[in-house]
Amino acid sequence: MWLHIVIGLLVAVVAGWLALVGALVAVRPKGPLLREALRLLPDLVRLLRNLAADPGLPRGVRIRLGLLLAYLAMPFDLIPDVIPVLGYADDAIIAVWVLRMVARRAGLPALRRHWPGTDDGFTALCRLAGIPATPPPPPLPPQSQSPT
């Protein structure tokens, strides 16, 4: 009886881990973006810490950032480093995934205000987050049409 429960729990844990690995593969940045994410990781961690401490951001954003920072501080990885490519990149992939969610909620001005790196790094950050590096122009005022 207990053996069946233990085996069932082990199967559930392995299945959950495989699902997480699959999710990481699905959301990883493609091509050179992964290399950029790895290069920007130190500035990205400082940005995330600064954003998490900003009381002006929504609580959901700060909670996501706090959970991400806790994950990055863990002494073990979700994917062991012996697995090629994903083993070393899992921290960057998860950070970029959370960054995309946070960037859409916090907005470009908050990211710019808290970015500790260079302007080129900020441009790369925007590419990773899937947002334009410059805000869109303000909408044109509606034109009044005069009767002819």
Side-chain angles (χ1 to χ4, degrees):
M1 171 75 171
W2 286 104
L3 182 61
H4 292 287
I5 292 173
V6 170
I7 290 172
L9 287 174
L10 286 174
V11 168
V13 167
V14 169
W17 183 80
L18 288 173
L20 286 173
V21 169
L24 282 177
V25 169
V27 300
R28 77 181 188 283
K30 308 296 186 253
L33 287 180
L34 182 58
R35 218 173 351 271
E36 283 186 32
L38 290 171
R39 184 176 53 87
L40 291 175
L41 198 56
D43 285 337
L44 184 59
V45 170
R46 285 194 296 275
L47 170 72
L48 297 175
R49 185 186 64 228
N50 294 342
L51 286 170
D54 185 352
L57 293 179
R59 181 180 297 165
V61 167
R62 292 188 320 229
I63 288 172
R64 286 182 188 117
L65 291 169
L67 290 172
L68 174 64
L69 289 170
Y71 171 77
L72 293 174
M74 286 189 324
F76 56 90
D77 283 340
L78 180 65
I79 300 175
D81 291 339
V82 296
I83 296 176
V85 181
L86 279 181
Y88 289 108
D90 64 333
D91 291 344
I93 293 169
I94 290 173
V96 168
W97 179 54
V98 172
L99 176 67
R100 286 176 183 234
M101 290 188 295
V102 167
R104 288 182 178 95
R105 293 277 317 265
L108 186 65
L111 292 178
R112 189 69 185 124
R113 186 171 59 246
H114 293 292
W115 177 247
T118 65
D119 288 339
D120 289 339
F122 186 74
T123 302
L125 171 83
C126 290
R127 266 195 313 271
L128 287 171
I131 58 175
T134 57
L140 296 173
Q143 301 260 338
S144 62
Q145 295 184 358
S146 58
T148 54

